[in-house]
């Protein structure tokens, strides 16, 4: 049986990557829910299952945009 866990978001920072064409690729993960599963790993740590969305964005220089 799995136990749903409440959580507070401490941060949802964007990871940003500068591409060689001058664009900036932005990515972040947004956590939707967390479950603590029964049992533990061999090292004694609890097992969690989660659902998340991957959010993507891109900033493109004007000269690369089609008109």
């Amino acid at each position: 049986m799995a136990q749903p866990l409440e959580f507070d978001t401490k941060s949802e920072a964007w990871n940003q990557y500068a591409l060689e064409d001058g664009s900036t690729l932005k990515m972040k993960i947004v956590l939707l829910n967390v479950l603590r599963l029964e049992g533990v790993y061999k090292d004694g740590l609890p097992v969690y299952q989660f659902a998340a969305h991957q959010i993507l964005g891109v900033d493109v220089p004007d000269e690369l945009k089609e008109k």
Side-chain angles (χ1 to χ4, degrees):
M1 184 167 180
Q3 174 189 2
L5 298 175
E6 297 290 325
F7 61 91
D8 292 319
T9 302
K10 290 186 175 184
S11 157
E12 286 182 348
W14 288 91
N15 293 313
Q16 297 187 41
Y17 305 91
L19 306 180
E20 66 179 77
D21 68 357
S23 300
T24 300
L25 180 63
K26 301 185 296 185
M27 304 172 74
K28 73 175 175 175
I29 300 294
V30 177
L31 189 64
L32 300 175
N33 63 55
V34 180
L35 300 173
R36 183 173 176 175
L37 305 180
E38 288 185 13
V40 295
Y41 290 108
K42 289 180 183 180
D43 59 5
L45 294 175
V47 180
Y48 296 98
Q49 178 179 329
F50 64 91
H53 278 251
Q54 181 178 352
I55 310 296
L56 303 172
V58 63
D59 291 330
V60 179
D62 288 340
E63 62 268 13
L64 294 180
K65 297 177 184 176
E66 291 189 23
K67 299 189 189 259

